[in-house]
Amino acid sequence: MSIGGGYPTRYKANGSAGWRNQNWTATWSTAYYGPYKENGAPGDPGGANDAYTAIGRRNVRSQITHNISGAYAFGRRTDKLSLLSDLNVAVGINNVFNAEPADDPFFSTFIASTFIPKYGREWWLRVTKEF
């Protein structure tokens, strides 16, 4: 994956573990993004740019994030009037440990890498129903 003007992340990894028991499911996932050189750092194919290296370093630190989710599927009921028939409810947390994104001056508006949510931990809820 190329970041900005040129340096690719050299190391990336992800993994997940899941559990299922009848109508219940749970998942834990993690993603790792290795360190990479700042855009405009000396040796950049696009040329060195002091505006991007003003923080005083040439590398963006590695980043890791963890996500967790769980779901329950009510399944099909024989009574067609049941409101819970074919209803699925899922909840989750992205960035469980509230990791902060690495400083990356290439993204001048937020000065943060885009690999980790810039607003910290994110909670979500999803409810779906088939008709």
Side-chain angles (χ1 to χ4, degrees), residues 38-42 44 46-58 103-109 111:
E38 284 185 3
N39 182 51
D44 185 342
N49 184 336
D50 291 335
Y52 288 129
T53 57
I55 291 177
R57 52 157 175 71
R58 296 178 178 157
D103 295 331
D104 187 348
F106 176 74
F107 300 100
S108 60
T109 306
I111 308 179

Side-chain angles (χ1 to χ4, degrees), residues 88-104:
N88 294 309
V89 178
V91 296
I93 304 170
N94 293 337
N95 196 6
V96 173
F97 298 117
N98 205 23
E100 292 185 14
D103 295 331
D104 187 348

